[in-house]
Amino acid sequence: MTTMSTARRRRRILPWLAVGAVLAACSGPGADAPGDQSRTPVAAGTLNSVAVVTHGTPGDAFWNVVKNGAEAAGKDLGVRVEYNSAGDPGQQAKLVDNAVAQRVDGLVVSMANPEALRPSVERAVAAGIPVVTINSGEAESVKFGAIGHVGQSERSAGLAAGKRLKDAGKSKMLCVIHEAGNIGANERCAGATEGFGNASTLQVDINNPTDAQSRIKGALEADHAIDAVLTLNSQIAARAVSAVGEAHATAAVATFDLNSDVVDAIRAGKLLFAVDQQQYEQGYLPVVLLRAYRTNLNTVGGGAPVQTGPAFVDEANVDAIAELVSQGTR
């Protein structure tokens, strides 16, 4: 045939578009941060296999999008990608150790509990396996020997969310933390409190959504001055919306992250906005980075993270985003 099919052309172009996205994300003031140049690089070769190990709960809508991104990158680049996850830090560390024992060519790890993951990540680096961290653990990534980090700077994103709620005229905020010990969640609330001012936090358990809803309702009933609720997870957002209704409160609800329920709630005027960290990129881009490193010893960012957010979804752009959420890429 003398012409290339549309699908074939897309497969050839997509990897280079992804590389361009990485480079664009790393430009700006943060791109000049010094990196750790002490690691011994592996010999240039090929990238055949990548293990992705996250702290997500199996079946979680957020992490399914990360998985979709990683698997799409593997398909586009001809790399075998195996995704595993465990919410317990000890179990996650074992999954990393298993990947090291299998001698994968590259490793992608989220670090909600960095110290629990540190020995396993450092063993991977010592074994000559390049590591890219994602989502959580930005501050520890370079220290542990990773070649890069892809994600959203949680404190900065929280700061932006807090300022947005304050600009909406709200005066007292409740920030709901859904995972105890999750460094990223704590950073989000700390940033939101800095941006908003008058705020308190509430600890709930994402694995007990009914209790989480009850706790949010109780907080609203105990303090009628709360007029803004910020959740850090799309599943908890739906519970917060229900809690506001049950408490007969007028508090506005905003959240981090997207799913179909969040989209529906924004459309219905029950959610003010969602902070979108574009987690599809957190699955896709690390595979691109690992391939560039394994084949050409390239690194990106100079020690600074590749930022995937924050982006905001509200009533102005929700209709354009909705279809992408339904197909599992946002």
Side-chain angles (χ1 to χ4, degrees), residues 203-224:
Q203 179 73 58
V204 301
D205 182 0
I206 190 173
N207 296 311
N208 191 343
T210 301
D211 182 67
Q213 181 173 322
S214 177
R215 287 177 180 272
I216 297 170
K217 175 187 174 184
L220 293 169
E221 290 175 336
D223 188 351
H224 296 288

Side-chain angles (χ1 to χ4, degrees), residues 61 64-69 280 322-330:
N64 283 345
V65 177
V66 176
K67 179 182 179 182
N68 290 343
Y280 184 86
E323 183 178 351
L324 302 174
V325 173
S326 67
Q327 69 186 28
T329 59
R330 288 295 287 268

